[in-house]
Amino acid sequence: MGFKNNTDESSDESSSGVEDSDDNETCDNKYLIQWESSDLPPDYVELGMEDRTKDPTVEDRWHRLYPPYLEPGTRIDLLISNTHNEASIVRHVPEYPSASPHYEVCWENQKRKNSVVNLTAENEEGSGNFCWKHLDSPVLRKGDRVAVWYQEGYWDGLIVETPSTGDDRAKQPNELKVELILGRKRENDVALFLTKFVGLAYLKAEWHTYQELQALGAAVKVDNWVKKHGYEYEPDDDQEREYFNPIFTEVDRIVDHVGVEENIKYLVKWKGLSYDECTWEDPADVDAPTKIAQYHNWQQFPTKQERRMPSVQEFLDQKKKKKKKKTLR
């Protein structure tokens, strides 16, 4: 079966073909799902085969729901005019006038400007024009929405806990990949290297020993950095040294979000960095309440009153106020 919930009754085992050994499974490979529009309590389910066709007649499967939206860097195949085009998601475009999800994409193997395209859930894995599909299978994360075959039907739910422990939007220790060596210092006669990891923000850069970085497969990267910057250490009393541009830790804008309330995470665009270097952050790590409020305001559609064209007199009054403000300055 695609998954087994942990409320399976023994009377169903003979008819469903589930062996007795399945009862001894733990929740190590199961996802905790919070069901939408239902009085059912959250439950651990094992997600097996993904059915991207979203066929409601196929049992024991699951598929993704949107929103949440596609993450930057997600690679897709988009069918346009009967031609397959490979592209990467740059960002979700919430300010687009249409209510359906639009994305800015960067075309691969093509010398053309980025485009904004409409990627609806209905056109995923379809056969007509502007249909699209994932080129790489994205990992399910906390905050993702899924439709799961559960208790003889498909139920929509939110993933609130994944099989891996901790924050799965960030890299787990055994998944860390060194991106940059930013600096070096000596502490208690031990050489430490300031390390930035792929997918993590500059404000989460950490000090690591050579042995720790070697275990992460970054020995060559460290050796090259040392050859370039020399073998002399900076004075130990220089505590205010900047190893990277501090502007890289300032929030430029909030691009997207996943989850709700205490499970919410924000996709942050940092000042001085490109959209490719956006990272997912907890609200506590994003010291920018104005940017967060501004982002949520952008997500709301204007009211009919706000969309109304001003009268000629209102326009002239607004223009006069702006002119007066400039004069006062």
Side-chain angles (χ1 to χ4, degrees):
M1 297 178 66
F3 79 92
K4 308 173 186 63
N5 63 60
N6 53 356
T7 59
D8 286 341
E9 297 178 0
S10 58
S11 59
D12 294 330
E13 292 178 0
S14 60
S15 59
S16 62
V18 179
E19 298 178 2
D20 294 340
S21 59
D22 290 339
D23 295 334
N24 297 324
E25 290 181 349
T26 65
C27 293
D28 291 343
N29 61 341
K30 296 184 179 181
Y31 295 78
L32 181 60
I33 308 292
Q34 179 179 322
W35 307 109
E36 301 177 2
S37 306
S38 172
D39 295 330
L40 288 173
D43 195 7
Y44 284 95
V45 295
E46 182 181 338
L47 300 182
M49 185 177 296
E50 178 180 3
D51 176 33
R52 293 183 178 177
T53 64
K54 301 180 175 64
D55 186 350
T57 63
V58 178
E59 300 182 5
D60 303 330
R61 296 288 187 268
W62 64 275
H63 58 260
R64 301 168 195 272
L65 296 173
Y66 303 101
Y69 301 101
L70 299 173
E71 292 188 29
T74 301
R75 297 179 64 248
I76 62 169
D77 178 84
L78 181 62
L79 186 63
I80 303 177
S81 300
N82 296 322
T83 302
H84 289 275
N85 301 267
E86 295 184 0
S88 297
I89 302 295
V90 176
R91 67 184 182 101
H92 173 234
V93 186
E95 63 269 24
Y96 206 79
S98 172
S100 56
H102 282 71
Y103 299 86
E104 180 183 347
V105 298
C106 173
W107 304 102
E108 299 182 5
N109 306 320
Q110 297 184 37
K111 293 183 179 179
R112 53 190 289 194
K113 294 182 178 179
N114 291 3
S115 306
V116 175
V117 297
N118 181 11
L119 302 178
T120 63
E122 291 75 16
N123 285 345
E124 184 182 4
E125 295 289 331
S127 57
N129 204 26
F130 287 98
C131 290
W132 63 280
K133 64 180 180 180
H134 288 92
L135 287 176
D136 307 309
S137 182
V139 177
L140 279 176
R141 306 174 190 269
K142 185 175 168 183
D144 286 348
R145 295 176 62 239
V146 291
V148 182
W149 181 266
Y150 182 82
Q151 295 188 1
E152 306 305 321
Y154 277 97
W155 295 77
D156 295 349
L158 180 75
I159 295 178
V160 296
E161 184 180 312
T162 62
S164 58
T165 57
D167 178 12
D168 65 330
R169 281 292 184 187
K171 299 288 184 179
Q172 299 301 319
N174 59 352
E175 298 175 344
L176 291 174
K177 183 178 180 181
V178 175
E179 180 179 355
L180 293 171
I181 302 299
L182 302 172
R184 176 184 55 185
K185 70 177 182 179
R186 183 184 293 276
E187 190 174 282
N188 298 326
D189 291 329
V190 177
L192 297 175
F193 297 87
L194 185 59
T195 309
K196 182 190 180 300
F197 295 97
V198 174
L200 299 186
Y202 274 84
L203 57 83
K204 293 183 179 178
E206 299 176 341
W207 292 99
H208 288 275
T209 65
Y210 182 88
Q211 290 75 15
E212 290 172 338
L213 296 175
Q214 187 179 36
L216 293 172
V220 174
K221 194 179 290 286
V222 178
D223 292 340
N224 290 338
W225 186 92
V226 171
K227 289 177 183 177
K228 180 178 179 180
H229 295 85
Y231 295 88
E232 295 295 327
Y233 288 86
E234 298 291 338
D236 292 337
D237 57 354
D238 187 7
Q239 300 297 324
E240 301 300 323
R241 188 182 312 117
E242 292 181 350
Y243 294 96
F244 55 85
N245 191 338
I247 202 174
F248 294 167
T249 63
E250 296 180 21
V251 177
D252 186 4
R253 60 175 294 189
I254 305 297
V255 178
D256 205 348
H257 79 282
V258 295
V260 293
E261 298 179 356
E262 67 275 6
N263 293 322
I264 196 168
K265 287 183 180 292
Y266 293 103
L267 185 61
V268 179
K269 159 76 168 64
W270 303 98
K271 286 185 179 180
L273 300 175
S274 68
Y275 280 95
D276 291 338
E277 296 180 85
C278 292
T279 58
W280 289 100
E281 305 295 339
D282 289 313
D285 295 331
V286 182
D287 187 19
T290 303
K291 299 287 186 181
I292 293 177
Q294 186 181 54
Y295 166 76
H296 285 294
N297 288 336
W298 286 343
Q299 302 299 301
Q300 300 176 0
F301 288 101
T303 62
K304 187 178 291 186
Q305 180 66 21
E306 292 170 332
R307 292 196 301 266
R308 183 181 66 85
M309 290 290 291
S311 65
V312 174
Q313 187 59 46
E314 288 174 333
F315 175 78
L316 293 175
D317 290 343
Q318 292 173 3
K319 190 174 181 181
K320 192 179 295 183
K321 286 181 180 179
K322 290 180 180 179
K323 188 174 182 180
K324 188 176 180 180
K325 284 183 178 179
K326 289 182 178 179
T327 304
L328 291 175
R329 290 177 183 175

